[in-house]
Amino acid sequence: MQKSEFKCPYCSGQLKAHTKIILSARKPDGQRGIILFSPKLGEYEIIKHDTFKLEEGEHLDMLCPLCHANLTDQTIDKNLAKILMTDEKGDEYQIYFSEIVGKKCTYQISGKKVQAFGKDAGEYLNYWGVEPRY
């Protein structure tokens, strides 16, 4: 298992406990739930409570479970959330991921270096000056 650490960009609180990244999510109707993600970039299985129903294509506001800051990065796109990652070597990255249920796209950014993951990653690559490959 990857030994990277994940933090909130606002409070610097640790978002990874044991083997999962823990975030709070808010649906358009205001309902909230906790979502657990894999720390392995490009792996999209989530764990949530059965009563927190998600619909394909629905937008979720991803929130820090510690300081409750909205992780949506409005400077890039209203559908992308941002957290911070430090890998096992101590290198730091910005991690962007889709807040749209069912969209599989994650970006690991360090300076001008962009690494994209997921079948839908081409949709947002141009934000970082990367030409999508079709």
Side-chain angles (χ1 to χ4, degrees):
M1 180 57 69
Q2 182 174 323
K3 294 188 185 306
S4 299
E5 294 299 326
F6 294 84
K7 296 188 306 185
C8 172
Y10 298 99
C11 71
S12 297
Q14 293 292 334
L15 300 174
K16 185 175 141 199
H18 191 52
T19 62
K20 299 292 181 192
I21 297 169
I22 302 169
L23 296 177
S24 178
R26 181 176 55 218
K27 295 173 57 146
D29 66 4
Q31 183 184 11
R32 292 178 182 237
I34 296 293
I35 297 181
L36 299 132
F37 295 90
S38 170
K40 184 174 181 187
L41 302 181
E43 207 170 88
Y44 294 99
E45 185 177 329
I46 63 168
I47 299 170
K48 61 174 188 57
H49 194 275
D50 291 339
T51 61
F52 190 56
K53 305 282 186 208
L54 302 179
E55 295 180 35
E56 195 82 10
E58 180 176 40
H59 181 271
L60 301 173
D61 285 325
M62 302 308 296
L63 310 166
C64 173
L66 302 169
C67 72
H68 308 289
N70 189 330
L71 300 174
T72 304
D73 191 327
Q74 297 287 348
T75 62
I76 300 291
D77 189 282
K78 63 181 172 55
N79 294 323
L80 294 176
K82 177 177 112 175
I83 59 176
L84 304 176
M85 179 182 104
T86 304
D87 69 14
E88 54 277 349
K89 296 182 226 166
D91 295 331
E92 296 182 0
Y93 303 90
Q94 297 175 11
I95 304 299
Y96 290 86
F97 58 95
S98 177
E99 293 183 309
I100 305 298
V101 176
K103 282 280 184 193
K104 293 177 172 42
C105 53
T106 307
Y107 309 92
Q108 178 180 314
I109 314 291
S110 177
K112 293 187 184 270
K113 185 178 177 190
V114 178
Q115 191 169 4
F117 303 87
K119 68 178 180 66
D120 301 313
E123 291 185 34
Y124 300 101
L125 276 175
N126 60 338
Y127 289 130
W128 294 284
V130 176
E131 292 295 322
R133 287 174 261 157
Y134 299 103

